[in-house]
Amino acid sequence: MRAIAVGMLTFFSLFLTVAGARSAERWAELPAFPAMPAAKTSGMADVNDIKMYYAEYGEGEPILFIHGGLGNTDVWGNQIAEFAKDHLVIVADSRGHGRSTRSQQPFGYDLMTSDYVALLDYLKIDKVTLVGWSDGGIIGIDMAMKNPEKLTRVIAQAANVTTDGVKPDVMNNKTFNDYITVAGEQYRKQSPTPNEYEAFVNQISQMWATQPNWTAAELGKITVPVTLAIGDHDEAVKLDHTEMMAKDIPGAKLVILKDASHFAMLQDPEGYDAMIRDAMAGR
């Protein structure tokens, strides 16, 4: 009986160890978007052919945070709370996302980049550190090529520069699908066209089917300091694609975010913030 009891205890201990390991797999979970701090200023800017929601926090050297596809500024709540302590933090909802409007003009990264350049002009901000996640990172790389005078540096997490940088099975991933569901719920709460989420997704999906599509020669002309970050469990973007980007962009630094996925800013806010501060310090 003692042998059986010891065996059962060993099995139970092993079960707890495995269960604990599973619960520790933070890359497989989508944390809730954090509460947003109170903005110093916010509003709707007339930008190109849309009205673009923006908000500003804190004082100091400016940082512009750009969210990913289907999302909104609220994904950055943890980063705003941290960096508004010693920086001017600017966030905005990209065209068609969150509180911003969209037009019938086809989505394109050049167009979305021009929206952010126009927003910086509207806010009378000369240069920013641009932190971009996913589509926001792609916009950052686009701006580095088209409008480098607007940038101090780019920190792009989970960005791709060609469509084949996206994993073909991303839509089979539960965490990623959880994000799409949450994004839809938030769209219906925030958007001036709350019943048009499906139409919005269809419109932006036409961009994703063919963009971005930049060559190594185009990336090789970037002169702005670039940090490329990717979670070691990213569901959407291939690691070897990010490594290729780091080789093609002159002087680019590659950072692998440990135990994190496409949603690293939510899963590991402290590690994510440290990565940004290291990049800003040239480390």
Side-chain angles (χ1 to χ4, degrees):
M1 288 292 293
R2 176 179 173 136
I4 293 174
V6 170
M8 289 182 66
L9 182 60
T10 301
F11 174 79
F12 186 61
S13 297
L14 179 62
F15 173 79
L16 287 177
T17 300
V18 172
R22 284 177 180 163
S23 66
E25 292 174 351
R26 65 184 180 191
W27 63 81
E29 302 295 330
L30 181 70
F33 285 17
M36 291 289 280
K40 180 177 68 173
T41 58
S42 65
M44 301 293 288
D46 287 316
V47 165
N48 291 331
D49 56 348
I50 62 165
K51 291 187 178 297
M52 190 174 199
Y53 171 80
Y54 70 91
E56 295 178 297
Y57 305 80
E59 300 283 349
E61 180 186 343
I63 307 178
L64 171 64
F65 285 88
I66 304 182
H67 63 80
L70 308 183
N72 59 68
T73 60
D74 293 15
V75 73
W76 296 119
N78 291 317
Q79 286 66 48
I80 293 168
E82 169 62 22
F83 287 93
K85 296 173 184 175
D86 52 6
H87 288 81
L88 170 63
V89 175
I90 308 110
V91 293
D93 291 335
S94 297
R95 71 166 47 225
H97 296 68
R99 307 155 190 82
S100 296
T101 67
R102 73 184 196 283
S103 69
Q104 291 307 306
Q105 187 172 184
F107 276 84
Y109 288 111
D110 285 352
L111 175 61
M112 296 174 79
T113 297
S114 75
D115 291 339
Y116 279 96
V117 170
L119 176 66
L120 293 177
D121 289 342
Y122 176 87
L123 297 174
K124 295 180 171 56
I125 295 173
D126 293 331
K127 274 192 170 191
V128 295
T129 288
L130 191 157
V131 180
W133 158 55
S134 197
D135 269 8
I138 298 171
I139 291 168
I141 293 167
D142 195 1
M143 197 180 296
M145 291 188 287
K146 306 291 195 316
N147 303 93
E149 74 282 354
K150 290 292 185 185
L151 297 169
T152 304
R153 64 185 63 80
V154 172
I155 302 165
Q157 180 235 332
N160 56 290
V161 292
T162 57
T163 55
D164 60 3
V166 177
K167 294 181 178 180
D169 60 350
V170 60
M171 296 310 297
N172 298 329
N173 182 275
K174 180 184 181 299
T175 311
F176 202 84
N177 277 287
D178 287 347
Y179 166 71
I180 293 174
T181 299
V182 170
E185 292 169 353
Q186 295 209 344
Y187 180 93
R188 285 181 278 275
K189 291 177 182 177
Q190 295 179 341
S191 176
T193 54
N195 300 320
E196 296 183 15
Y197 185 60
E198 186 175 346
F200 159 61
V201 172
N202 289 338
Q203 197 174 355
I204 199 168
S205 294
Q206 294 174 29
M207 175 184 76
W208 292 334
T210 58
Q211 297 182 33
N213 193 25
W214 295 313
T215 65
E218 289 174 304
L219 297 175
K221 295 178 182 177
I222 291 176
T223 57
V224 173
V226 174
T227 296
L228 300 168
I230 187 168
D232 57 2
H233 288 79
D234 196 296
E235 309 90 336
V237 178
K238 300 173 184 176
L239 174 59
D240 60 356
H241 181 81
T242 310
E243 292 170 337
M244 177 272 294
M245 291 166 59
K247 291 176 182 176
D248 288 344
I249 297 173
K253 181 179 179 182
L254 176 63
V255 179
I256 309 297
L257 302 169
K258 185 174 172 55
D259 297 336
S261 82
H262 203 67
F263 309 100
M265 79 293 293
L266 296 171
Q267 294 161 341
D268 181 20
E270 290 184 5
Y272 200 88
D273 296 349
M275 177 273 294
I276 294 172
R277 289 201 181 274
D278 283 348
M280 293 182 72
R283 295 192 292 267

